Amino acid sequence: MRSPLMQATVAAAAVIALSPLGTASAAGPSDIGDIICHGGSLTVQFNPGATFFRSTVRMSASGEMGTCSSSQHPEITGGAVKLEASLTANCPGPFGPGYVKATINWNDGTKTVIDQSIFRGDERSFSLEGGSATGGFAGGYARANGRTTSNLIEISAACASAGLTSYASTINEFAVGDI
């Protein structure tokens, strides 16, 4: 029978032997992977509505990513996206620039969150770039662009009355990861 001191020494040796050596390193670009989506749609909402006077608005947008492809993650073919930001805006633009948080729920059940991407838009188009992803494609960045599909006359009328509270847009391209 072993003494308590001998048992403690054996246990400590086992812990040391099973411990990983060195520190964990951040994922390299080849580990991040990338994904590119085309043909999505986005509904953008402002609260309060954007008017011809520059003011701070809460922007939220949601939509579908369209058709997505990734050589590292072929199981991901689409997803739903949500954007949230507080930005300065006026009609007919600019909307921003400002920092936006993008949350993407992929069709395979994984999720990517991109914080601090820069959003720029106006009544005709939008762009998003930068940030830092967590979850799927962690450590990567985002880049997106699209164009407004809402009627520009209706957008102008909303700007002139109570304020522009929503409009529709395409997602021409949305890329995430090592891009």
Side-chain angles (χ1 to χ4, degrees):
M1 191 156 158
R2 294 185 188 172
S3 72
L5 180 58
M6 180 62 135
Q7 287 176 342
T9 303
V10 170
V15 168
I16 291 170
L18 295 175
S19 295
L21 298 176
T23 59
S25 61
S30 63
D31 299 329
I32 294 170
D34 61 16
I35 190 163
I36 298 177
C37 303
H38 298 279
S41 62
L42 200 61
T43 300
V44 180
Q45 297 179 318
F46 296 121
N47 186 13
T51 65
F52 291 112
F53 301 100
R54 194 149 180 82
S55 63
T56 300
V57 298
R58 181 81 185 137
M59 182 197 81
S60 62
S62 59
E64 297 297 320
M65 296 291 284
T67 303
C68 303
S69 63
S70 169
S71 60
Q72 296 90 344
H73 302 281
E75 67 281 4
I76 301 176
T77 57
V81 62
K82 183 176 182 181
L83 306 176
E84 298 174 291
S86 179
L87 10 121
T88 55
N90 64 283
C91 290
F95 309 143
Y99 291 110
V100 68
K101 175 183 177 182
T103 304
I104 305 166
N105 291 300
W106 302 108
N107 67 302
D108 71 341
T110 60
K111 180 166 129 177
T112 300
V113 177
I114 305 120
D115 282 318
Q116 301 294 310
S117 292
I118 297 176
F119 178 91
R120 290 179 174 85
D122 58 30
E123 83 283 2
R124 295 185 181 270
S125 63
F126 80 91
S127 68
L128 180 145
E129 188 161 353
S132 180
T134 58
F137 307 100
Y141 300 96
R143 182 182 65 238
N145 63 69
R147 60 184 169 72
T148 301
T149 56
S150 291
N151 182 302
L152 294 179
I153 293 172
E154 291 173 2
I155 288 175
S156 294
C159 290
S161 62
L164 177 64
T165 57
S166 69
Y167 70 93
S169 180
T170 64
I171 297 176
N172 294 342
E173 178 182 271
F174 203 121
V176 180
D178 180 29
I179 53 175

